[in-house]
Amino acid sequence: MIIPRIDLAAEDCKAQLSAYRLLPNQVLVAPTADNATLQTILKNQNKDAYWVQPAQFDSQDPLAQIHMLLDAGSDKVVLPYAAFAADASAFSHIPQERLAVALTLAEFEQVQASLLSLVSVFILTINDPPSSTNTEAIKRVAQAAQAGLLPRGGIKRVVASFSENTVPQLASITDLGRAGIDILLSSNVLSKDIQEGKLNIGQAFMSTVVSDRADGLFPTVVVDEQGISLGLVYSSLDSVVESFKTGKGVYFSRTRGLWHKGASSGSTQDLVKVHVDCDSDALQFTVHQHGTGFCHNNIRGCFGPSSGLAHLDQTLQSRRISAPAGSYTQRLFNDSNLVKSKIMEEAEELCDASTPEDIAWETADLIYFALVKCVANGVTLRDVEQQLENRSRKISRRPGHAKPKWDVSAKEALLAAAAAAVVAAPAAPQLTVADPPAAPKPAVAAQSGSAKSGRISMKSYKMNALSADEQKKLLLRPIIQSDDIMARVKPIVQSVRERGDAALLELTAKFDGVQLQSTVISAPFSPESMILDEQTRRAIDQAYDNIQKFHAAQLQDQALVVETMPGVVCTRFSRPIERVGLYVPGGTAVLPSTALMLGIPAAVAGCSEIVIATPPRKDGSIVPEVMYVAHKVGASKVLMAGGAQAVAAMAYGTESCPKVDKICGPGNQYVTAAKMLTQIDSSSLVSIDMPAGPSELLVIADMTSVPAYVASDLLSQAEHGTDSQVVLIAVGLTAEHLSAIEDEVHEQANRLPRVDIVRESIPKSYIIAVDSMEEAMKFSNEYAPEHLILHLEEAERHVEQVMNAGSVFVGHWSPESCGDYASGTNHTLPTYGYARMYSGVNTDTFLKHITSQQLTKEGLDAIGDTVMRLAEIEGLEAHRNAVGVRIRDIRGL
Ligand SMILES: NC(=O)c1ccc[n+]([C@@H]2O[C@H](COP(=O)([O-])OP(=O)(O)OC[C@H]3O[C@@H](n4cnc5c(N)ncnc54)[C@H](O)[C@@H]3O)[C@@H](O)[C@H]2O)c1
Ligand SMILES: N[C@H](CO)Cc1c[nH]c[nH+]1
């Protein structure tokens, strides 16, 4: 094997480096260890090939410079024998395979046994050209030096370093090579061309390779930059010479002769490295493959397509060039904030994962999003691997502490201290340290963690293949055992009604797993309870402003005045409901947005007492986002309770929770059942907004719809709860379009943190194919969805046909999520088909309308006979008389 020696003091050193980069190793001779050219070279990618030989080290601290060169990634540092002779033990901490020694034949004679175990390469300085005498001497040294393998595997190498102008015969290289001796030559005597007075690099390289085949060819394994095999070919001496010359993959075809790979197909190869195997009879070409691939069947490799990370990397690289419009991947490429959020989300989930399956799952997610970021920024998987390899070559170890921001142990200690402080302070049950705004893990994910496989798909129907009865059945929501739920809720409501706070505390311990000391936090709320990061605060403030604007516009503060007949004036004016209870769900997800949706209209309406009820977190606190909203809307109390017990507390009142006049807000089946139960109990004297149960969504989509958008909207509601239902009405969609939507549902769902919930809600959901918009609208109006999305051409034209729906989202750019959070409309909406007769929460929800009238003498005279006659018909004489006594006076009867 030949090794070029490149003098970094030479002007053309970088050109030399590039010319001989295909050889496995190069020796870089630098004037000093910190030479600027050397440092620049070590910053590039190929450094694992370099043996660095500085002529001079810093005399104060040579070891530090050796560490620096090895940490920078050089494969080996070459030291003069004198350095070892002075104190060999100083180098004993450096891995043997990273050190080489340069010495003369005479010096080798003095080598102590200890040096043999410190270095992996002996570079013998030979001042004369190869001769029979020095060749024999070199061979003797090789025999002595090469005894035994390196501790971590591999051989010790002996290299004969010939002087500046020596151009050895190929036969000498072959002779030394057969004895396992490499030849180090000045790059000045080498050439990529066949040139008089120079040694051709291809021929020199091949002079130690022996073919064991009758045709004299050399089996050549072709691999990509990640070392993944692309195929097996054959090389001849000429093809190798040509490869070194052109820097391309050139082989020998037994049918075509010299074969410039890709010359006709376009699938060319840039040659990255050429290696010979351990017994010198086969080659390995490392290439950067262009075009469709190496295999003539238009796939990447002859042994089939790549898999694993390499495959993901290749897919993302090709998607970067041509991602389908509207696909999730394209969105990720264009939205660096989304990628950032996903990486942080997945990293957190990986930290929280504990089972081997979950850890593998979360790692896969994290790697996926990390690779998207790489590809979006022109970084390849190989670049990442190169970094890992560089790190593995470092010999100085960093302590590896986490930055303070991420130091979990320190944070836990802080939280423990804060919790201890809270226990000591009886009146403040919430932590004083703000937790990150992360939502709690879905209950289902926590329980299962197993059924994470299988396609996630909705059921599929064709409207014209269904009987009327079958169509009707589809209008029903997933069955809820309401008798069973009522039976569970009644005793809960009863016990809170009878035992007040004591029952509340017990039930919170039972259902929410937290033993509180008190049930209510009263305003003014402490600033520590609502500490938010700036981005969250700004998001809440913007949502607040939009929702406030839309709900303030609904307020009719002018009385309605109509003179129905001359002298008969009818008026209607509104007054706020004084005390309202707002339920903010907190079971599988904490929903500060619901606090906005209920609190803002209540505040706009002017309710004088606003109580917000929400389940406490496991540490007994309420999320700071909800506390901040409670503060903004002017709530007087936050009730730390959820479920039926919270509803009962607000309906009947307890020692600490005020009784309210109306309870609003969505919730699970227990919440909804308790609202209905307390509403029909006249002794509670409480009303409710509506039965707002599990979230649901109906999408009507035509061929103009974007599959990725449709799927994302369906999933946005399917992720709420296992009982959520989403429906897609496909209007004249082709089979391809429909299956693109189904694929997106599956793929996007699998990337969701709440995929376990989606796995249960999506199978309860369905797609129904129809032929016309009329059929679609008819079905939608009968279903009366909570949310209706129109993914249609000229979607706005169809709004006038909507008869029953909680809220409508018009066109491709109106995702339902905007209505959930920030556009201005309310997200507390009727579900279960109640949109046929209920409106969603709005400003009027928190108002009563009072009417009044005033009649003049003339007005009463004009209307009197009508009223008296109608009272007579009903047999209500007192009614008739109240008008009659006045009419007699007016008319002087
Ligand atoms: N329609 C709308 O406008 C709208 C808006 C937002 C949310 N939602 C829906 O609200 C619901 C929120 O449900 P959630 O469960 O996440 O939160 P939640 O706050 O409604 O319910 C959590 C509470 O349920 C109680 N509970 C749990 N298991 C119980 C059991 N076995 N027996 C008695 N009580 C029990 C606990 O006290 C717990 O605090 C979802 O279905 C979501 O779709 C609807
Ligand atoms: N989509 C829900 C109404 O059904 C509301 C919500 C809250 N947070 C997110 N979404």
Side-chain angles (χ1 to χ4, degrees), residues 520-717:
V520 159
I521 310 171
S522 299
F525 307 121
S526 71
E528 295 78 35
S529 66
M530 45 180 134
I531 295 174
L532 300 177
D533 62 78
E534 190 50 24
Q535 199 187 359
T536 308
R537 197 188 53 71
R538 272 208 305 271
I540 293 181
D541 287 350
Q542 172 154 89
Y544 185 98
D545 289 347
N546 289 352
I547 300 163
Q548 208 276 346
K549 245 185 236 165
F550 190 62
H551 288 79
Q554 296 165 19
L555 190 64
Q556 287 182 342
D557 38 15
Q558 297 295 322
L560 181 75
V561 181
V562 179
E563 188 168 24
T564 52
M565 290 173 68
V568 179
V569 177
C570 298
T571 307
R572 192 186 80 159
F573 56 91
S574 57
R575 292 289 181 267
I577 296 172
E578 277 168 57
R579 302 168 300 173
V580 292
L582 313 179
Y583 187 83
V584 175
T588 68
V590 185
L591 305 179
S593 56
T594 304
L596 287 168
M597 296 296 175
L598 299 170
I600 292 171
V604 167
C607 301
S608 50
E609 173 133 57
I610 298 176
V611 177
I612 292 182
T614 195
R617 291 190 287 188
K618 290 281 176 273
D619 63 3
S621 68
I622 299 295
V623 286
E625 291 82 358
V626 170
M627 292 305 295
Y628 180 60
V629 175
H631 159 74
K632 281 195 81 141
V633 301
S636 56
K637 309 249 185 245
V638 172
L639 174 65
M640 294 184 288
Q645 58 275 22
V647 173
M650 295 191 288
Y652 298 103
T654 68
E655 300 88 317
S656 59
C657 177
K659 184 220 168 322
V660 300
D661 304 313
K662 186 166 186 177
I663 298 173
C664 300
N668 63 16
Q669 303 153 18
Y670 305 105
V671 172
T672 308
K675 278 168 71 182
M676 296 179 83
L677 202 64
T678 52
Q679 177 192 227
I680 56 169
D681 176 5
S682 56
S683 71
S684 75
L685 212 63
V686 77
S687 71
I688 64 167
D689 48 355
M690 77 194 102
S695 298
E696 50 187 47
L697 167 74
L698 187 146
V699 174
I700 306 181
D702 66 11
M703 281 300 287
T704 65
S705 63
V706 181
Y709 296 179
V710 173
S712 69
D713 286 337
L714 292 167
L715 291 168
S716 74
Q717 293 312 290

Side-chain angles (χ1 to χ4, degrees), residues 234-249:
Y234 293 91
S235 299
S236 64
L237 175 61
D238 287 348
S239 72
V240 175
V241 169
E242 186 70 3
S243 291
F244 273 104
K245 182 176 169 186
T246 58
K248 300 281 176 195

Side-chain angles (χ1 to χ4, degrees), residues 12-166:
D12 64 345
C13 66
K14 289 203 176 144
Q16 301 270 359
L17 210 56
S18 156
Y20 306 119
R21 67 184 166 77
L22 301 180
L23 291 168
N25 296 113
Q26 296 96 41
V27 170
L28 308 185
V29 178
T32 58
D34 53 6
N35 171 263
T37 311
L38 174 62
Q39 296 306 321
T40 316
I41 289 169
L42 287 181
K43 285 205 178 89
N44 82 17
Q45 301 285 307
N46 218 5
K47 48 201 163 196
D48 54 332
Y50 302 145
W51 299 356
V52 177
Q53 186 173 11
Q56 226 183 321
F57 284 94
D58 174 3
S59 58
Q60 298 297 312
D61 198 354
L63 258 184
Q65 290 197 321
I66 295 168
H67 287 186
M68 177 265 288
L69 292 172
L70 293 174
D71 285 346
S74 358
D75 182 37
K76 297 183 205 307
V77 172
V78 185
L79 297 175
Y81 175 68
F84 290 98
D87 181 9
S89 65
F91 304 97
S92 58
H93 65 286
I94 299 176
Q96 188 176 356
E97 64 272 18
R98 307 295 298 279
L99 285 182
V101 59
L103 70 183
T104 61
L105 283 166
E107 281 168 335
F108 190 83
E109 301 300 322
Q110 305 157 24
V111 159
Q112 298 142 359
S114 61
L115 182 57
L116 290 177
S117 63
L118 287 181
V119 300
S120 54
V121 176
F122 295 86
I123 300 179
L124 300 169
T125 312
I126 314 291
N127 291 323
D128 309 311
S131 65
S132 54
T133 330
N134 61 24
T135 300
E136 284 319 304
I138 296 167
K139 284 183 183 172
R140 271 199 307 280
V141 167
Q143 248 182 359
Q146 288 174 332
L149 295 174
L150 293 168
R152 291 180 225 195
I155 54 163
K156 291 182 200 162
R157 291 169 71 175
V158 171
V159 180
S161 168
F162 289 101
S163 58
E164 198 55 22
N165 299 318
T166 303

